[in-house]
Amino acid sequence: MHKDKFVFAQLPRFLDRNHFNYLVKKYEGDKYIKSYTCWNQLLTMMFGQLSNRESLRDLVVAMEAHAGKLYHLGIGKSVTRSNLSKANEQRNYRIFEEYATFVIAEARKRRINKIFELDGHVYAFDSTTIDLCLSVFEWAKFRKHKGGIKLHTLYDVETEVPAFVHITPANIHDSKAMPEIPYESGAHYIFDRGYNDFSNLNTYRCFLRCTSQNKCTDQA
């Protein structure tokens, strides 16, 4: 008989539960909730992501197939598709957004690896388009019969961990997301030709130089 913990049940041990509880309390995520908490919701979505589920229905069916193991997986009770959909729609997204940012920062600390021997971090910035159902996500209209979003990602090349993520509708040009990047003085940024906006690039170059010298010597 298998007596060890399931692999999935071991994953939450690497997550800071105290910080997650702090965010839940901050945004009142579990207010009036009796059983299916934000933590259960997080683990449910993790299970769906890691098991490559393609929809909420697919996720719920997979969980029902393992109903006898959900407690030992750490997820708790099973959840219906309607309740999971309601939780995703009504609970404050900032709980999960800020927790993701926190986890990313912790991962980068543990993955420090100087490859280029440069003084600052080395970042690559690019985007990827994710298709969405236009009838469900009307705000994400991309083409006449197609919906989608763009995931703009600032990738820390040396730690191999994303440092920043910005989401826009898919019809937004890549260069429009450049002002959202949290620029660091002394860091090195890699862009492809989709970001050839020389006016913006010159502005950021001047800003970074001013930040490093505490004064501006360039004329924009």
Side-chain angles (χ1 to χ4, degrees):
M1 180 182 292
H2 180 78
K3 295 183 179 180
D4 295 328
K5 280 190 174 184
F6 291 107
V7 173
F8 183 84
Q10 299 175 45
L11 296 179
R13 294 172 55 190
F14 297 96
L15 301 177
D16 190 327
R17 179 73 179 272
N18 290 331
H19 188 75
F20 186 81
N21 290 341
Y22 160 76
L23 294 174
V24 171
K25 185 176 181 180
K26 176 181 176 182
Y27 293 107
E28 299 184 335
D30 285 342
K31 191 174 184 179
Y32 306 124
I33 302 300
K34 295 181 179 179
S35 58
Y36 193 67
T37 66
C38 289
W39 182 253
N40 297 133
Q41 182 184 0
L42 174 66
L43 295 184
T44 298
M45 300 309 291
M46 284 177 54
F47 179 83
Q49 181 70 27
L50 295 174
S51 59
N52 198 28
R53 301 301 99 193
E54 296 183 351
S55 66
L56 292 187
R57 186 186 300 277
D58 187 18
L59 171 55
V60 170
V61 169
M63 291 179 63
E64 289 176 348
H66 298 285
K69 303 176 184 177
L70 293 182
Y71 174 81
H72 299 287
L73 288 173
I75 297 176
K77 297 181 179 179
S78 183
V79 61
T80 63
R81 183 173 64 88
S82 60
N83 285 340
L84 178 56
S85 177
K86 187 183 297 183
N88 288 342
E89 181 180 1
Q90 296 182 352
R91 292 181 183 173
N92 198 320
Y93 73 91
R94 293 181 180 86
I95 297 171
F96 306 98
E97 180 184 58
E98 292 188 17
Y99 193 62
T101 302
F102 171 79
V103 171
I104 286 173
E106 291 297 303
R108 289 181 64 198
K109 290 178 185 177
R110 289 162 172 75
R111 288 278 301 169
I112 295 176
N113 184 22
K114 284 292 182 182
I115 299 175
F116 301 106
E117 299 298 330
L118 298 173
D119 293 335
H121 291 105
V122 180
Y123 295 111
F125 190 63
D126 206 352
S127 68
T128 184
T129 301
I130 300 175
D131 294 335
L132 295 176
C133 178
L134 188 57
S135 63
V136 177
F137 302 95
E138 296 179 359
W139 56 270
K141 188 172 182 178
F142 181 28
R143 296 194 178 98
K144 187 175 181 179
H145 301 293
K146 187 176 182 181
I149 60 172
K150 268 190 180 179
L151 196 64
H152 305 267
T153 305
L154 185 67
Y155 187 73
D156 189 330
V157 177
E158 293 186 307
T159 63
E160 298 181 342
V161 174
F164 172 77
V165 174
H166 180 62
I167 299 174
T168 67
N171 58 1
I172 299 298
H173 192 271
D174 290 352
S175 63
K176 300 297 183 182
M178 293 176 68
E180 304 297 330
I181 299 175
Y183 293 98
E184 299 175 7
S185 179
H188 305 265
Y189 295 88
I190 303 170
F191 303 94
D192 62 23
R193 287 187 296 178
Y195 298 91
N196 276 358
D197 185 334
F198 296 107
S199 177
N200 273 337
L201 290 172
N202 186 61
T203 300
Y204 305 141
R205 180 179 66 87
C206 181
F207 167 75
L208 294 174
R209 179 166 296 184
C210 291
T211 304
S212 64
Q213 298 178 356
N214 294 321
K215 62 179 180 178
C216 188
T217 57
D218 283 350
Q219 297 295 323

